[in-house]
Amino acid sequence: MKPNIEELRKKYIDNPPEGMTSKDIRHMSEDELLDMDYFLNEDDLFDDEAGVEGFYIF
């Protein structure tokens, strides 16, 4: 299900992430906007690594 790009753009223009401006958001492509939204809302990018205690070479 693809989110409505214009709603997403408005959300970030009204409240841009730290280090960005509304102007930055206005000039982003749809793919850039979706990527940014994905990474800002991802809980833990390394969640697959849960429970791994160390690095082992066998």
Side-chain angles (χ1 to χ4, degrees):
M1 180 166 78
K2 188 174 179 181
N4 185 334
I5 298 297
E6 291 311 311
E7 287 178 14
L8 199 57
R9 189 176 306 276
K10 182 174 178 358
K11 171 185 169 184
Y12 288 115
I13 286 173
D14 292 342
N15 187 18
E18 184 176 340
M20 299 190 84
T21 66
S22 297
K23 184 178 178 181
D24 296 331
I25 304 299
R26 279 190 206 95
H27 291 93
M28 291 177 90
S29 70
E30 288 183 6
D31 288 336
E32 291 171 328
L33 191 61
L34 290 171
D35 287 345
M36 179 185 73
D37 182 62
Y38 175 79
F39 286 109
L40 288 174
N41 292 303
E42 181 69 20
D43 289 332
D44 187 358
L45 296 176
F46 302 104
D47 197 26
D48 294 348
E49 303 293 323
V52 175
E53 303 227 356
F55 180 77
Y56 302 97
I57 299 177
F58 292 99

Tab-separated table of all heavy atoms in Angstrom:
chain	number	residue	atom	x	y	z
A	1	MET	N	0.843	-1.170	0.000
A	1	MET	CA	0.000	0.000	0.000
A	1	MET	C	0.894	1.240	0.000
A	1	MET	O	1.667	1.473	0.912
A	1	MET	CB	-0.904	-0.020	1.244
A	1	MET	CG	-1.812	1.149	1.314
A	1	MET	SD	-3.138	0.939	2.511
A	1	MET	CE	-2.292	1.258	4.034
A	2	LYS	N	0.802	2.041	-1.044
A	2	LYS	CA	1.634	3.230	-1.199
A	2	LYS	C	0.967	4.414	-0.501
A	2	LYS	O	-0.182	4.734	-0.763
A	2	LYS	CB	1.803	3.522	-2.682
A	2	LYS	CG	2.793	4.614	-2.978
A	2	LYS	CD	3.003	4.738	-4.472
A	2	LYS	CE	3.961	5.846	-4.783
A	2	LYS	NZ	4.160	5.999	-6.210
A	3	PRO	N	1.688	5.051	0.428
A	3	PRO	CA	1.098	6.210	1.115
A	3	PRO	C	0.895	7.374	0.152
A	3	PRO	O	1.572	7.484	-0.862
A	3	PRO	CB	2.130	6.552	2.186
A	3	PRO	CG	3.400	5.941	1.726
A	3	PRO	CD	3.047	4.773	0.854
A	4	ASN	N	-0.038	8.210	0.471
A	4	ASN	CA	-0.280	9.393	-0.342
A	4	ASN	C	0.920	10.333	-0.196
A	4	ASN	O	1.181	10.875	0.875
A	4	ASN	CB	-1.570	10.075	0.105
A	4	ASN	CG	-1.935	11.235	-0.781
A	4	ASN	OD1	-1.078	11.857	-1.410
A	4	ASN	ND2	-3.206	11.540	-0.829
A	5	ILE	N	1.635	10.498	-1.289
A	5	ILE	CA	2.879	11.281	-1.274
A	5	ILE	C	2.644	12.723	-0.842
A	5	ILE	O	3.422	13.274	-0.066
A	5	ILE	CB	3.550	11.243	-2.664
A	5	ILE	CG1	3.930	9.812	-3.041
A	5	ILE	CG2	4.754	12.159	-2.719
A	5	ILE	CD1	4.949	9.182	-2.130
A	6	GLU	N	1.570	13.334	-1.303
A	6	GLU	CA	1.323	14.737	-0.964
A	6	GLU	C	1.012	14.900	0.529
A	6	GLU	O	1.434	15.878	1.143
A	6	GLU	CB	0.221	15.322	-1.830
A	6	GLU	CG	0.621	15.473	-3.283
A	6	GLU	CD	1.973	16.163	-3.480
A	6	GLU	OE1	2.199	17.235	-2.879
A	6	GLU	OE2	2.796	15.611	-4.223
A	7	GLU	N	0.315	13.946	1.123
A	7	GLU	CA	0.057	14.005	2.575
A	7	GLU	C	1.362	13.854	3.343
A	7	GLU	O	1.603	14.555	4.326
A	7	GLU	CB	-0.915	12.906	2.988
A	7	GLU	CG	-2.340	13.147	2.568
A	7	GLU	CD	-3.256	12.003	2.963
A	7	GLU	OE1	-2.852	11.149	3.784
A	7	GLU	OE2	-4.381	11.961	2.448
A	8	LEU	N	2.205	12.938	2.882
A	8	LEU	CA	3.495	12.720	3.521
A	8	LEU	C	4.372	13.968	3.391
A	8	LEU	O	5.001	14.401	4.354
A	8	LEU	CB	4.170	11.525	2.855
A	8	LEU	CG	5.281	10.831	3.593
A	8	LEU	CD1	4.822	10.348	4.963
A	8	LEU	CD2	5.787	9.661	2.773
A	9	ARG	N	4.380	14.550	2.211
A	9	ARG	CA	5.183	15.759	1.980
A	9	ARG	C	4.702	16.894	2.891
A	9	ARG	O	5.501	17.585	3.518
A	9	ARG	CB	5.091	16.174	0.505
A	9	ARG	CG	6.063	17.270	0.134
A	9	ARG	CD	6.040	17.597	-1.344
A	9	ARG	NE	6.243	16.485	-2.231
A	9	ARG	CZ	7.446	16.000	-2.586
A	9	ARG	NH1	8.541	16.551	-2.116
A	9	ARG	NH2	7.531	14.982	-3.418
A	10	LYS	N	3.381	17.078	2.987
A	10	LYS	CA	2.829	18.123	3.850
A	10	LYS	C	3.209	17.884	5.316
A	10	LYS	O	3.574	18.814	6.028
A	10	LYS	CB	1.309	18.194	3.707
A	10	LYS	CG	0.701	19.294	4.557
A	10	LYS	CD	-0.779	19.451	4.315
A	10	LYS	CE	-1.467	20.479	5.158
A	10	LYS	NZ	-0.761	21.215	6.140
A	11	LYS	N	3.163	16.623	5.740
A	11	LYS	CA	3.531	16.273	7.119
A	11	LYS	C	4.964	16.742	7.424
A	11	LYS	O	5.217	17.349	8.453
A	11	LYS	CB	3.425	14.755	7.302
A	11	LYS	CG	3.985	14.247	8.597
A	11	LYS	CD	3.955	12.725	8.630
A	11	LYS	CE	4.744	12.182	9.801
A	11	LYS	NZ	4.794	10.713	9.784
A	12	TYR	N	5.890	16.469	6.503
A	12	TYR	CA	7.286	16.832	6.748
A	12	TYR	C	7.577	18.305	6.458
A	12	TYR	O	8.521	18.857	7.023
A	12	TYR	CB	8.222	15.910	5.971
A	12	TYR	CG	8.254	14.525	6.568
A	12	TYR	CD1	7.780	13.428	5.877
A	12	TYR	CD2	8.737	14.318	7.853
A	12	TYR	CE1	7.796	12.166	6.435
A	12	TYR	CE2	8.754	13.068	8.427
A	12	TYR	CZ	8.287	11.996	7.717
A	12	TYR	OH	8.297	10.750	8.286
A	13	ILE	N	6.804	18.952	5.606
A	13	ILE	CA	6.979	20.391	5.388
A	13	ILE	C	6.545	21.146	6.642
A	13	ILE	O	7.211	22.088	7.074
A	13	ILE	CB	6.185	20.869	4.156
A	13	ILE	CG1	6.880	20.405	2.884
A	13	ILE	CG2	6.041	22.391	4.143
A	13	ILE	CD1	6.117	20.677	1.608
A	14	ASP	N	5.437	20.703	7.253
A	14	ASP	CA	4.943	21.351	8.469
A	14	ASP	C	5.866	21.116	9.664
A	14	ASP	O	5.965	21.950	10.552
A	14	ASP	CB	3.539	20.841	8.813
A	14	ASP	CG	2.498	21.299	7.804
A	14	ASP	OD1	2.775	22.259	7.047
A	14	ASP	OD2	1.409	20.694	7.761
A	15	ASN	N	6.535	19.966	9.684
A	15	ASN	CA	7.410	19.622	10.803
A	15	ASN	C	8.626	18.869	10.260
A	15	ASN	O	8.703	17.641	10.377
A	15	ASN	CB	6.631	18.765	11.816
A	15	ASN	CG	7.416	18.519	13.067
A	15	ASN	OD1	8.378	19.217	13.346
A	15	ASN	ND2	7.025	17.513	13.807
A	16	PRO	N	9.595	19.590	9.661
A	16	PRO	CA	10.746	18.923	9.049
A	16	PRO	C	11.633	18.233	10.092
A	16	PRO	O	11.740	18.700	11.231
A	16	PRO	CB	11.505	20.048	8.360
A	16	PRO	CG	10.907	21.315	8.807
A	16	PRO	CD	9.640	21.036	9.521
A	17	PRO	N	12.245	17.125	9.703
A	17	PRO	CA	13.170	16.440	10.622
A	17	PRO	C	14.364	17.335	10.945
A	17	PRO	O	14.692	18.253	10.180
A	17	PRO	CB	13.625	15.214	9.833
A	17	PRO	CG	12.716	15.097	8.673
A	17	PRO	CD	12.108	16.426	8.443
A	18	GLU	N	15.001	17.043	12.044
A	18	GLU	CA	16.166	17.820	12.475
A	18	GLU	C	17.221	17.839	11.377
A	18	GLU	O	17.537	16.816	10.777
A	18	GLU	CB	16.755	17.188	13.740
A	18	GLU	CG	17.898	17.959	14.329
A	18	GLU	CD	18.391	17.348	15.635
A	18	GLU	OE1	17.652	16.590	16.260
A	18	GLU	OE2	19.532	17.658	15.998
A	19	GLY	N	17.736	19.006	11.105
A	19	GLY	CA	18.779	19.169	10.098
A	19	GLY	C	18.248	19.436	8.702
A	19	GLY	O	19.030	19.583	7.764
A	20	MET	N	16.944	19.464	8.548
A	20	MET	CA	16.340	19.721	7.236
A	20	MET	C	15.417	20.930	7.341
A	20	MET	O	15.008	21.304	8.433
A	20	MET	CB	15.551	18.512	6.750
A	20	MET	CG	16.405	17.278	6.578
A	20	MET	SD	15.512	15.989	5.731
A	20	MET	CE	15.783	16.495	4.044
A	21	THR	N	15.107	21.511	6.185
A	21	THR	CA	14.179	22.636	6.140
A	21	THR	C	12.974	22.252	5.283
A	21	THR	O	13.012	21.255	4.549
A	21	THR	CB	14.837	23.880	5.527
A	21	THR	OG1	15.126	23.603	4.157
A	21	THR	CG2	16.105	24.280	6.280
A	22	SER	N	11.930	23.053	5.357
A	22	SER	CA	10.747	22.832	4.524
A	22	SER	C	11.121	22.876	3.049
A	22	SER	O	10.580	22.124	2.236
A	22	SER	CB	9.688	23.889	4.815
A	22	SER	OG	9.250	23.785	6.146
A	23	LYS	N	12.065	23.744	2.699
A	23	LYS	CA	12.523	23.854	1.315
A	23	LYS	C	13.163	22.546	0.848
A	23	LYS	O	12.935	22.101	-0.281
A	23	LYS	CB	13.519	25.005	1.187
A	23	LYS	CG	13.979	25.260	-0.215
A	23	LYS	CD	14.921	26.446	-0.273
A	23	LYS	CE	15.410	26.656	-1.695
A	23	LYS	NZ	16.335	27.776	-1.792
A	24	ASP	N	13.952	21.912	1.719
A	24	ASP	CA	14.557	20.618	1.381
A	24	ASP	C	13.476	19.592	1.048
A	24	ASP	O	13.590	18.849	0.073
A	24	ASP	CB	15.401	20.081	2.537
A	24	ASP	CG	16.594	20.943	2.862
A	24	ASP	OD1	17.120	21.622	1.949
A	24	ASP	OD2	17.003	20.937	4.043
A	25	ILE	N	12.428	19.553	1.859
A	25	ILE	CA	11.354	18.586	1.676
A	25	ILE	C	10.615	18.855	0.363
A	25	ILE	O	10.288	17.924	-0.372
A	25	ILE	CB	10.359	18.640	2.859
A	25	ILE	CG1	11.070	18.417	4.197
A	25	ILE	CG2	9.240	17.634	2.667
A	25	ILE	CD1	11.760	17.106	4.374
A	26	ARG	N	10.384	20.122	0.045
A	26	ARG	CA	9.665	20.475	-1.191
A	26	ARG	C	10.398	20.001	-2.438
A	26	ARG	O	9.782	19.680	-3.445
A	26	ARG	CB	9.485	21.996	-1.286
A	26	ARG	CG	8.351	22.512	-0.485
A	26	ARG	CD	8.061	23.992	-0.811
A	26	ARG	NE	7.440	24.606	0.334
A	26	ARG	CZ	8.062	25.295	1.275
A	26	ARG	NH1	9.345	25.528	1.188
A	26	ARG	NH2	7.412	25.794	2.298
A	27	HIS	N	11.735	19.963	-2.361
A	27	HIS	CA	12.536	19.606	-3.532
A	27	HIS	C	12.906	18.125	-3.591
A	27	HIS	O	13.604	17.707	-4.511
A	27	HIS	CB	13.802	20.470	-3.577
A	27	HIS	CG	13.493	21.894	-3.880
A	27	HIS	ND1	13.300	22.826	-2.890
A	27	HIS	CD2	13.301	22.542	-5.058
A	27	HIS	CE1	13.024	23.993	-3.452
A	27	HIS	NE2	13.005	23.851	-4.763
A	28	MET	N	12.443	17.325	-2.642
A	28	MET	CA	12.752	15.890	-2.637
A	28	MET	C	11.889	15.147	-3.653
A	28	MET	O	10.726	15.486	-3.850
A	28	MET	CB	12.486	15.281	-1.252
A	28	MET	CG	13.437	15.735	-0.192
A	28	MET	SD	13.004	15.060	1.415
A	28	MET	CE	13.951	13.559	1.379
A	29	SER	N	12.477	14.124	-4.258
A	29	SER	CA	11.696	13.276	-5.163
A	29	SER	C	10.791	12.376	-4.312
A	29	SER	O	10.959	12.273	-3.093
A	29	SER	CB	12.634	12.403	-5.999
A	29	SER	OG	13.245	11.414	-5.191
A	30	GLU	N	9.839	11.723	-4.954
A	30	GLU	CA	8.948	10.821	-4.234
A	30	GLU	C	9.739	9.694	-3.568
A	30	GLU	O	9.471	9.341	-2.421
A	30	GLU	CB	7.899	10.227	-5.179
A	30	GLU	CG	6.853	11.215	-5.612
A	30	GLU	CD	5.787	10.583	-6.481
A	30	GLU	OE1	5.797	9.350	-6.667
A	30	GLU	OE2	4.920	11.335	-6.970
A	31	ASP	N	10.711	9.139	-4.280
A	31	ASP	CA	11.518	8.055	-3.727
A	31	ASP	C	12.330	8.514	-2.516
A	31	ASP	O	12.433	7.804	-1.514
A	31	ASP	CB	12.461	7.473	-4.780
A	31	ASP	CG	11.720	6.655	-5.827
A	31	ASP	OD1	10.610	6.161	-5.524
A	31	ASP	OD2	12.245	6.505	-6.942
A	32	GLU	N	12.908	9.699	-2.602
A	32	GLU	CA	13.675	10.232	-1.468
A	32	GLU	C	12.777	10.438	-0.258
A	32	GLU	O	13.156	10.132	0.873
A	32	GLU	CB	14.343	11.554	-1.846
A	32	GLU	CG	15.449	11.407	-2.847
A	32	GLU	CD	15.949	12.744	-3.375
A	32	GLU	OE1	15.154	13.699	-3.476
A	32	GLU	OE2	17.146	12.816	-3.695
A	33	LEU	N	11.587	10.948	-0.504
A	33	LEU	CA	10.628	11.199	0.574
A	33	LEU	C	10.212	9.891	1.238
A	33	LEU	O	10.181	9.787	2.467
A	33	LEU	CB	9.426	11.944	0.019
A	33	LEU	CG	8.442	12.530	1.014
A	33	LEU	CD1	9.130	13.563	1.894
A	33	LEU	CD2	7.273	13.161	0.284
A	34	LEU	N	9.913	8.881	0.436
A	34	LEU	CA	9.525	7.579	0.985
A	34	LEU	C	10.670	6.934	1.748
A	34	LEU	O	10.468	6.343	2.815
A	34	LEU	CB	9.043	6.656	-0.141
A	34	LEU	CG	7.707	7.025	-0.761
A	34	LEU	CD1	7.453	6.176	-1.999
A	34	LEU	CD2	6.574	6.860	0.238
A	35	ASP	N	11.902	7.048	1.227
A	35	ASP	CA	13.066	6.502	1.932
A	35	ASP	C	13.260	7.183	3.280
A	35	ASP	O	13.501	6.530	4.294
A	35	ASP	CB	14.340	6.667	1.094
A	35	ASP	CG	14.398	5.723	-0.087
A	35	ASP	OD1	13.606	4.747	-0.118
A	35	ASP	OD2	15.233	5.951	-0.989
A	36	MET	N	13.162	8.511	3.277
A	36	MET	CA	13.326	9.252	4.527
A	36	MET	C	12.260	8.835	5.539
A	36	MET	O	12.572	8.574	6.705
A	36	MET	CB	13.231	10.756	4.271
A	36	MET	CG	13.380	11.590	5.532
A	36	MET	SD	13.135	13.346	5.250
A	36	MET	CE	11.367	13.409	5.001
A	37	ASP	N	11.017	8.747	5.104
A	37	ASP	CA	9.936	8.348	5.990
A	37	ASP	C	10.172	6.955	6.545
A	37	ASP	O	9.987	6.710	7.733
A	37	ASP	CB	8.601	8.412	5.246
A	37	ASP	CG	7.432	8.058	6.139
A	37	ASP	OD1	7.210	8.781	7.140
A	37	ASP	OD2	6.746	7.050	5.850
A	38	TYR	N	10.620	6.037	5.703
A	38	TYR	CA	10.897	4.665	6.148
A	38	TYR	C	11.957	4.656	7.251
A	38	TYR	O	11.773	4.045	8.296
A	38	TYR	CB	11.360	3.820	4.959
A	38	TYR	CG	11.783	2.436	5.356
A	38	TYR	CD1	10.842	1.447	5.602
A	38	TYR	CD2	13.127	2.119	5.504
A	38	TYR	CE1	11.225	0.176	5.973
A	38	TYR	CE2	13.523	0.846	5.874
A	38	TYR	CZ	12.566	-0.121	6.107
A	38	TYR	OH	12.954	-1.377	6.488
A	39	PHE	N	13.065	5.338	7.024
A	39	PHE	CA	14.150	5.313	8.005
A	39	PHE	C	13.826	6.091	9.275
A	39	PHE	O	14.293	5.740	10.350
A	39	PHE	CB	15.461	5.806	7.379
A	39	PHE	CG	16.057	4.786	6.459
A	39	PHE	CD1	16.057	4.999	5.095
A	39	PHE	CD2	16.577	3.605	6.933
A	39	PHE	CE1	16.573	4.047	4.235
A	39	PHE	CE2	17.098	2.647	6.100
A	39	PHE	CZ	17.096	2.873	4.734
A	40	LEU	N	13.020	7.132	9.175
A	40	LEU	CA	12.629	7.876	10.381
A	40	LEU	C	11.645	7.089	11.231
A	40	LEU	O	11.557	7.307	12.442
A	40	LEU	CB	12.003	9.219	10.000
A	40	LEU	CG	12.964	10.260	9.461
A	40	LEU	CD1	12.197	11.483	8.977
A	40	LEU	CD2	13.976	10.658	10.524
A	41	ASN	N	10.909	6.173	10.620
A	41	ASN	CA	9.890	5.429	11.354
A	41	ASN	C	10.259	3.981	11.621
A	41	ASN	O	9.472	3.239	12.189
A	41	ASN	CB	8.554	5.497	10.598
A	41	ASN	CG	8.015	6.899	10.618
A	41	ASN	OD1	7.816	7.482	11.666
A	41	ASN	ND2	7.814	7.472	9.448
A	42	GLU	N	11.451	3.568	11.203
A	42	GLU	CA	11.910	2.215	11.464
A	42	GLU	C	12.315	2.120	12.929
A	42	GLU	O	13.089	2.932	13.424
A	42	GLU	CB	13.103	1.901	10.556
A	42	GLU	CG	13.662	0.535	10.710
A	42	GLU	CD	12.736	-0.571	10.209
A	42	GLU	OE1	11.830	-0.273	9.417
A	42	GLU	OE2	12.936	-1.715	10.629
A	43	ASP	N	11.789	1.113	13.630
A	43	ASP	CA	12.085	0.958	15.058
A	43	ASP	C	13.553	0.653	15.302
A	43	ASP	O	14.217	1.334	16.052
A	43	ASP	CB	11.229	-0.146	15.671
A	43	ASP	CG	9.788	0.266	15.780
A	43	ASP	OD1	9.518	1.479	15.899
A	43	ASP	OD2	8.922	-0.624	15.750
A	44	ASP	N	14.041	-0.390	14.687
A	44	ASP	CA	15.423	-0.783	14.907
A	44	ASP	C	15.950	-1.418	13.630
A	44	ASP	O	15.555	-2.527	13.264
A	44	ASP	CB	15.534	-1.765	16.068
A	44	ASP	CG	16.969	-2.068	16.458
A	44	ASP	OD1	17.893	-1.545	15.803
A	44	ASP	OD2	17.169	-2.812	17.422
A	45	LEU	N	16.843	-0.728	12.958
A	45	LEU	CA	17.356	-1.225	11.692
A	45	LEU	C	18.118	-2.530	11.848
A	45	LEU	O	18.225	-3.311	10.913
A	45	LEU	CB	18.279	-0.177	11.055
A	45	LEU	CG	17.618	1.132	10.652
A	45	LEU	CD1	18.677	2.103	10.133
A	45	LEU	CD2	16.564	0.895	9.613
A	46	PHE	N	18.640	-2.795	13.045
A	46	PHE	CA	19.436	-3.989	13.268
A	46	PHE	C	18.713	-4.985	14.157
A	46	PHE	O	19.328	-5.775	14.854
A	46	PHE	CB	20.790	-3.600	13.870
A	46	PHE	CG	21.536	-2.636	12.988
A	46	PHE	CD1	21.599	-1.299	13.308
A	46	PHE	CD2	22.137	-3.064	11.823
A	46	PHE	CE1	22.262	-0.403	12.487
A	46	PHE	CE2	22.796	-2.176	10.994
A	46	PHE	CZ	22.869	-0.849	11.327
A	47	ASP	N	17.396	-4.971	14.107
A	47	ASP	CA	16.579	-5.850	14.929
A	47	ASP	C	16.872	-7.320	14.643
A	47	ASP	O	16.749	-8.167	15.515
A	47	ASP	CB	15.097	-5.554	14.716
A	47	ASP	CG	14.220	-6.129	15.814
A	47	ASP	OD1	14.731	-6.301	16.942
A	47	ASP	OD2	13.037	-6.390	15.544
A	48	ASP	N	17.289	-7.642	13.417
A	48	ASP	CA	17.615	-9.023	13.057
A	48	ASP	C	18.791	-9.541	13.872
A	48	ASP	O	18.970	-10.748	14.016
A	48	ASP	CB	17.972	-9.131	11.576
A	48	ASP	CG	16.785	-8.835	10.681
A	48	ASP	OD1	15.649	-8.776	11.197
A	48	ASP	OD2	16.992	-8.650	9.473
A	49	GLU	N	19.588	-8.654	14.380
A	49	GLU	CA	20.782	-9.031	15.133
A	49	GLU	C	20.500	-9.277	16.614
A	49	GLU	O	21.403	-9.554	17.378
A	49	GLU	CB	21.852	-7.943	15.006
A	49	GLU	CG	22.234	-7.629	13.583
A	49	GLU	CD	22.944	-8.780	12.895
A	49	GLU	OE1	23.732	-9.472	13.575
A	49	GLU	OE2	22.702	-9.004	11.699
A	50	ALA	N	19.247	-9.168	17.038
A	50	ALA	CA	18.894	-9.347	18.446
A	50	ALA	C	19.331	-10.719	18.932
A	50	ALA	O	19.134	-11.733	18.277
A	50	ALA	CB	17.394	-9.169	18.642
A	51	GLY	N	19.960	-10.740	20.060
A	51	GLY	CA	20.394	-11.987	20.656
A	51	GLY	C	21.803	-12.383	20.279
A	51	GLY	O	22.371	-13.296	20.853
A	52	VAL	N	22.402	-11.714	19.309
A	52	VAL	CA	23.756	-12.020	18.917
A	52	VAL	C	24.684	-11.369	19.926
A	52	VAL	O	24.656	-10.177	20.132
A	52	VAL	CB	24.049	-11.494	17.496
A	52	VAL	CG1	25.504	-11.711	17.139
A	52	VAL	CG2	23.122	-12.149	16.500
A	53	GLU	N	25.523	-12.189	20.560
A	53	GLU	CA	26.358	-11.685	21.640
A	53	GLU	C	27.767	-11.315	21.208
A	53	GLU	O	28.453	-10.607	21.880
A	53	GLU	CB	26.424	-12.713	22.761
A	53	GLU	CG	25.033	-13.040	23.256
A	53	GLU	CD	24.922	-13.015	24.749
A	53	GLU	OE1	25.944	-12.811	25.405
A	53	GLU	OE2	23.815	-13.200	25.227
A	54	GLY	N	28.197	-11.842	20.093
A	54	GLY	CA	29.555	-11.544	19.653
A	54	GLY	C	29.755	-11.956	18.224
A	54	GLY	O	28.835	-12.407	17.548
A	55	PHE	N	30.971	-11.821	17.769
A	55	PHE	CA	31.317	-12.170	16.402
A	55	PHE	C	32.183	-13.401	16.462
A	55	PHE	O	33.192	-13.433	17.158
A	55	PHE	CB	32.058	-10.997	15.765
A	55	PHE	CG	32.471	-11.260	14.348
A	55	PHE	CD1	31.538	-11.193	13.337
A	55	PHE	CD2	33.776	-11.563	14.032
A	55	PHE	CE1	31.894	-11.439	12.028
A	55	PHE	CE2	34.147	-11.799	12.734
A	55	PHE	CZ	33.198	-11.743	11.734
A	56	TYR	N	31.808	-14.430	15.714
A	56	TYR	CA	32.521	-15.695	15.774
A	56	TYR	C	32.982	-16.103	14.385
A	56	TYR	O	32.242	-15.993	13.422
A	56	TYR	CB	31.625	-16.805	16.331
A	56	TYR	CG	31.084	-16.501	17.695
A	56	TYR	CD1	29.814	-15.971	17.831
A	56	TYR	CD2	31.838	-16.716	18.834
A	56	TYR	CE1	29.308	-15.670	19.082
A	56	TYR	CE2	31.347	-16.420	20.081
A	56	TYR	CZ	30.083	-15.897	20.203
A	56	TYR	OH	29.577	-15.607	21.440
A	57	ILE	N	34.212	-16.588	14.288
A	57	ILE	CA	34.734	-17.141	13.049
A	57	ILE	C	35.034	-18.596	13.310
A	57	ILE	O	35.794	-18.937	14.218
A	57	ILE	CB	36.012	-16.406	12.603
A	57	ILE	CG1	35.726	-14.937	12.339
A	57	ILE	CG2	36.604	-17.083	11.356
A	57	ILE	CD1	36.962	-14.134	11.973
A	58	PHE	N	34.448	-19.449	12.494
A	58	PHE	CA	34.683	-20.894	12.656
A	58	PHE	C	35.421	-21.420	11.466
A	58	PHE	O	35.250	-21.057	10.375
A	58	PHE	CB	33.349	-21.655	12.788
A	58	PHE	CG	32.642	-21.326	14.059
A	58	PHE	CD1	31.616	-20.402	14.077
A	58	PHE	CD2	33.019	-21.935	15.248
A	58	PHE	CE1	30.956	-20.108	15.243
A	58	PHE	CE2	32.341	-21.625	16.430
A	58	PHE	CZ	31.327	-20.721	16.418
